[in-house]
Amino acid sequence: MGFYMKTSISIMAVAVSLTLISTMLLAKEARYPEFGNGRIEQNLVKSKNYMVSSANPYASEAGMRVLAKGGSAIDAAIAVQMVLTLVEPESSGIGGGAFALYWDKANKSLQSFDGREKAPMAADGKLFQQDGKNMNWWNALAGGRAVGVPGVVAMMEKVHQQHGKLPWAELFDDAIKLSEDGFEISPKLGASIARGTNPALGRYEASWNYFFPDGQPLRAGVIKKNPELAMTFRRIALLGSSGFYKGQIALDIVNAARNTAADNPGLITIEDMLAYEAIERPPVCAPYKTFKICGMGPPTSGGMTVIQILKLLEGKNLSQYKPLSVEAVHLFTQAGKLAYADRGKYMADDDFVAVPVEGLIDANYLAERAKLIGLEDMGKASPGIPPNADANWLVSKSPEQPSTTHFSIVDKAGNGFSMTSSIEMAFGSTVMVHGFLLNNQLTDFSFSEEKNGVLIANRVQPGKRPRSSMSPFMVFDENDNLSMVIGSPGGSRIINYVAKTMLGVLEWDMDIQSAISLPHFVNRNGGTDLEKNTDAAMLKGELEALGHQVSVRDLNSGLHGITINSEGLQGGADPRRVGRAMGQ
């Protein structure tokens, strides 16, 4: 019997179980779309008490079970992420990193947490260079060279120590059981393997044996067990993060990155593992009309760039236009060009680089930048000079990949959690150890450290965290009440996806599901991308008449969001992927 026909009520009281069962059965009856080529129907989910929206029904169920037992938002998040490590290995896991926001309703306190991977202390600006030239990105991604010190476990433990209600060890129960008993391979995962989304997958023995049993790629519908990962979860459940960063797991991570992947060895050491620390950083917030919008600061660029896009559009009266009108899409893309121009020049790990955070979201600065938005496409935008900025930094690029995940959670007490998690390229470095994959996040650095003697902000440095586009966000109303939790995977397009969805709710009065489902339109300071097989694609000719260079393509986001109002919670999940919002 397949995953979508199973039920499990053993750990919940009967009264709660009956409601949860009906919700979960609806989720299990849904069909997965074909990977990157299709949509599933997603309906707005409403609830009164608590909600989880994540990238896989198994994970949403695990989070719901924790919330049903009285767990907090971080308790549920740990259960969700551990299950995603098992069932969505192409997108995230404990071998990667994450950024998260936590809202403590009782204390009206918003915190942000940085669990981004770090470069080994032996790494420098020559990490991705050979014979004085930058490596080909495809040659850099696989093996140990691009493996950063993973941050997910340390970050989640840090938040749990502050806000957890249930014992740490209990939060691994679902992930352990699924790892031992088996889970159903989704068509998304099966297609990712079969289509060679990461052409290096299977290059190394452990990942070959796991993803290509009997020499054939795992197929959708197959029940897959991962006893090695179950043992890893048991160790972390018992010992906490020290079970990951110390001892045998840490030693084997180092050995796998340096020696197993001998064709492209890494520099990570046991000292790098022992020294890793997740960091609590100040969130980045700005007013948007009657709302307050809040995201993560550096080393992710997502928070500031999303805020820039919305602030650049604040005076454009977007609500007068329909969401898929040529006027609205044109304005959005031009704001995107200006924001991405600043992103490319100024944003990096501000433990190493003086990022002008306040200057980049300064209202007067952005009001002047907004004057550059005209009736025709502006072409390639140049970065501005925000207050307190070092204008000498050189613009850089890094080819971030869309294999990431996001989940949003609100617990019964009204606390919220927004977390975006990644291992970078689909299946990361393809190096597998103890049942999980290691990231290749160091490819998010610029491969060049300078050009003509001018330094690049996002260059590789020892112990530095690479720039990201991950954009976990929260929105608050005029009374400082949490009103939205949102985020998405999607590489550097994440910023566009999140900004569009927030505007759908804040400007066009959409419910969260409709805003998530709204076809995508994207600009990263280049051409304009319109989502294939949607009404957005019909704007191609009109936008070209305004000077846009337009591509119509798959834009496979993974938005998962929750809104809160006087009537309760509303949740949405992205029809482009396989997730599910569930509530009670």
Side-chain angles (χ1 to χ4, degrees), residues 190-496:
S192 297
I193 301 167
R195 295 181 183 182
T197 307
N198 185 330
L201 184 64
R203 178 183 297 180
Y204 307 111
E205 183 178 6
S207 58
W208 172 262
N209 291 338
Y210 185 82
F211 292 106
F212 298 88
D214 303 318
Q216 298 298 316
L218 283 172
R219 301 185 311 277
V222 168
I223 302 301
K224 180 65 176 176
K225 298 179 182 181
N226 191 338
E228 272 196 285
L229 185 57
M231 292 178 65
T232 298
F233 287 146
R234 289 186 183 280
R235 185 174 182 85
I236 300 170
L238 177 66
L239 300 175
S241 67
S242 63
F244 184 84
Y245 293 96
K246 300 178 182 179
Q248 197 61 51
I249 292 176
L251 289 168
D252 290 344
I253 288 172
V254 170
N255 181 61
R258 295 178 71 95
N259 300 318
T260 302
D263 58 334
N264 197 23
L267 300 176
I268 190 170
T269 67
I270 192 63
E271 289 77 18
D272 292 320
M273 293 292 294
L274 291 169
Y276 185 85
E277 183 180 359
I279 301 175
E280 182 178 345
R281 299 187 185 273
V284 178
C285 298
Y288 181 81
K289 299 189 174 179
T290 62
F291 299 93
K292 181 172 70 173
I293 55 177
C294 295
M296 286 287 312
T300 184
S301 65
M304 291 173 290
T305 312
V306 169
I307 288 173
Q308 279 199 329
I309 290 173
L310 266 68
K311 294 292 287 182
L312 287 164
L313 295 171
E314 189 173 18
K316 303 298 183 182
N317 195 16
L318 275 186
S319 60
Q320 69 180 305
Y321 306 115
K322 293 182 179 180
L324 286 180
S325 65
V326 67
E327 295 89 351
V329 173
H330 171 71
L331 290 171
F332 183 87
T333 60
Q334 303 308 287
K337 287 192 171 197
L338 293 168
Y340 274 81
D342 280 356
R343 171 188 178 272
K345 181 162 188 169
Y346 296 111
M347 299 186 197
D349 183 349
D350 66 353
D351 289 341
F352 290 76
V353 175
V355 179
V357 175
E358 296 301 322
L360 285 162
I361 61 174
D362 180 79
N364 293 327
Y365 169 69
L366 291 174
E368 286 299 310
R369 293 281 279 171
K371 293 177 182 178
L372 299 173
I373 298 176
L375 299 177
E376 295 185 348
D377 183 76
M378 69 176 66
K380 189 172 183 65
S382 298
I385 305 178
N388 301 314
D390 182 349
N392 292 321
W393 294 119
L394 190 69
V395 173
S396 68
K397 295 181 179 180
S398 57
E400 297 174 58
Q401 297 301 303
S403 297
T404 298
T405 200
H406 180 86
F407 50 88
S408 297
I409 300 171
V410 176
D411 64 27
K412 191 171 184 179
N415 305 308
F417 195 71
S418 180
M419 176 167 156
T420 310
S421 174
S422 182
I423 56 171
E424 177 59 359
M425 178 65 179
F427 305 100
S429 65
T430 74
V431 177
M432 197 169 195
V433 58
H434 286 276
F436 61 90
L437 288 162
L438 299 179
N439 68 85
N440 66 315
Q441 290 285 10
L442 300 188
T443 57
D444 277 356
F445 283 117
S446 169
F447 281 23
S448 299
E449 59 180 332
E450 56 86 23
K451 187 174 182 180
N452 298 325
V454 181
L455 290 173
I456 292 170
N458 188 42
R459 67 191 184 278
V460 182
Q461 292 176 268
K464 191 176 182 179
R465 301 173 194 235
R467 185 179 68 199
S468 171
S469 293
M470 290 189 274
S471 306
F473 254 82
M474 290 186 178
V475 178
F476 299 86
D477 67 17
E478 64 273 19
N479 297 315
D480 205 26
N481 295 313
L482 181 64
S483 64
M484 188 191 309
V485 183
I486 190 66
S488 180
S492 58
R493 293 185 179 88
I494 288 173
I495 292 160
N496 283 262

Side-chain angles (χ1 to χ4, degrees), residues 519-520 530-541 550 552:
H520 289 318
L530 302 175
E531 188 175 3
K532 186 178 179 181
N533 297 325
T534 71
D535 289 344
M538 298 172 64
L539 298 174
K540 183 175 187 291
V550 179
V552 176

Side-chain angles (χ1 to χ4, degrees), residues 129-134:
Q129 295 180 14
Q130 291 180 335
D131 300 323
K133 296 181 180 179
N134 290 348

Side-chain angles (χ1 to χ4, degrees), residues 44-81:
L44 183 68
V45 177
K46 298 181 179 181
S47 70
K48 292 290 186 182
N49 297 311
Y50 46 80
M51 183 168 284
V52 179
S53 182
S54 86
N56 190 285
Y58 281 117
S60 294
E61 288 183 14
M64 285 292 287
R65 278 191 275 270
V66 169
L67 295 176
K69 293 195 291 183
S72 67
I74 179 58
D75 294 333
I78 293 165
V80 168
Q81 178 62 87

